[in-house]
Amino acid sequence: MSEAIAKPRSKSLQRRDAKLALKASKRYKRMQQRESAPKLTGRQRVFNWLLHIIMALMVIYCLVPLLWVIFSSTKTSEGIFSSFGLWLDDKNVFWQNVQDTFAYQHGVYTRWLFNTIMYAVVAGVGATIIATFAGYAIAAMRFPGRNALLAVTLAFMSIPSTVITVPLFLMYSKIGLVGTPWAVIVPQLATPFGLYLMIIYAQTSIPVSLIEAAKLDGASTWTIFWKVGFPLLSPGFVTVLLFTLVGVWNNYFLPLIMLTNTKDYPLTVGLNMWLKMGAYGTADGQVPNNLIITGSLIAVVPLIIAFMFLQKYWQSGLAAGSVKQ
């Protein structure tokens, strides 16, 4: 009994079958998307569009000033007022503006930048370490007064830092800290928000059974923290570090009250002094507007770099601390 041998299909039929299969696949994916996507009512669609419009306006509101600073930093002081703010001028003098900014008043901007980095690193890292130690202790240990500490932390979170600045000035003036960098660093070592965030993160990321197992193995409290607790807390540590760095970097009122020597100023206070000198002029002269704008742009760059490098740890830290397991 002879077996029938199937003849190979022609290339045109093969191409037709491939096109039909591709169309069927796309049709199936569209059907799945329609089935998975919930159907919105008319009111819900209007509300959805309204939310998108509000978010777009918020993005524009945040980006327009930054774009204006970027474009204005490429112009001369006269070109800032004679050209459109959101576009380049005929003459690009960005690098000249950068050089003049760092050289103006015998390079005082370099000193302000160094002061800001020093304040941010010392106060930011110190506050993060303290918040990590305290947050782990409150979350993982049981001791008298633990609930009171939680209540005090929540209470201090609701108090603006500017409210206690004047009392701190009066207190530090009695012990001789006013006019020194320590008057700016020491108050910022305490961060109630960072402490509360570390408490919540430690409660959700460190299993109690893991700590008990380490204790049964004979590990000390210090060993448990560094070998078990801190590796699990590292995303939260980076998250708090990012918040504290930004807070110290942008702090204006505290160094304005505490510092008396202009060489100890951070960028926030120094640039504000330049702004007043540019508007009204002083005995030292009138600061060109292009230098003030270029200095403001340079002051933003380190924060952008910090966000770019710490973003993934920041997002994972917030996500892990938002769900209790």
Side-chain angles (χ1 to χ4, degrees), residues 69-318:
V69 170
I70 293 174
F71 286 121
S72 298
S73 64
T74 64
K75 306 174 183 177
T76 62
S77 186
E78 296 77 13
I80 294 174
F81 300 98
S82 61
S83 61
F84 181 60
L86 296 178
W87 197 246
L88 299 172
D89 197 8
D90 296 334
K91 187 178 180 181
N92 191 331
V93 292
F94 175 75
W95 294 113
Q96 185 63 43
N97 286 340
V98 172
Q99 295 175 10
D100 293 343
T101 300
F102 282 101
Y104 192 75
Q105 290 184 343
H106 307 289
V108 69
Y109 185 87
T110 306
R111 179 64 182 268
W112 292 342
L113 180 60
F114 173 79
N115 292 339
T116 307
I117 295 174
M118 186 266 292
Y119 294 147
V121 171
V122 176
V125 175
T128 306
I129 293 174
I130 293 173
T132 304
F133 287 160
Y136 171 81
I138 295 175
M141 301 178 183
R142 298 295 180 266
F143 53 89
R146 175 176 174 272
N147 294 330
L149 284 176
L150 287 172
V152 170
T153 302
L154 291 174
F156 273 97
M157 283 179 58
S158 61
I159 300 176
S161 59
T162 54
V163 173
I164 63 174
T165 301
V166 174
L168 284 174
F169 173 80
L170 297 176
M171 183 176 65
Y172 286 179
S173 63
K174 296 292 184 180
I175 58 178
L177 286 181
V178 172
T180 66
W182 291 109
V184 178
I185 294 173
V186 174
Q188 297 184 99
L189 291 176
T191 166
F193 175 74
L195 174 58
Y196 179 75
L197 188 63
M198 288 306 302
I199 293 172
I200 299 301
Y201 190 85
Q203 289 177 343
T204 57
S205 63
I206 302 178
V208 179
S209 58
L210 194 61
I211 298 177
E212 296 296 333
K215 289 181 180 179
L216 291 176
D217 290 339
S220 63
T221 303
W222 192 251
T223 303
I224 294 173
F225 173 77
W226 284 112
K227 299 296 184 180
V228 178
F230 188 76
L232 297 174
L233 291 176
S234 56
F237 180 88
V238 177
T239 303
V240 176
L241 177 62
L242 182 59
F243 280 120
T244 53
L245 286 177
V246 174
V248 176
W249 191 278
N250 294 328
N251 199 340
Y252 169 75
F253 191 62
L254 179 66
L256 177 66
I257 295 293
M258 295 294 184
L259 300 176
T260 55
N261 191 346
T262 57
K263 291 184 178 180
D264 294 330
Y265 282 173
L267 287 173
T268 51
V269 182
L271 287 173
N272 184 66
M273 186 182 71
W274 273 9
L275 183 62
K276 293 180 180 179
M277 292 174 62
Y280 306 108
T282 62
D284 297 331
Q286 191 171 10
V287 182
N289 292 307
N290 57 330
L291 302 189
I292 301 173
I293 295 173
T294 305
S296 302
L297 177 63
I298 297 172
V300 176
V301 172
L303 292 182
I304 296 176
I305 295 174
F307 266 95
M308 290 175 60
F309 279 97
L310 301 178
Q311 182 182 17
K312 59 180 180 180
Y313 300 104
W314 176 50
Q315 291 176 343
S316 64
L318 290 179

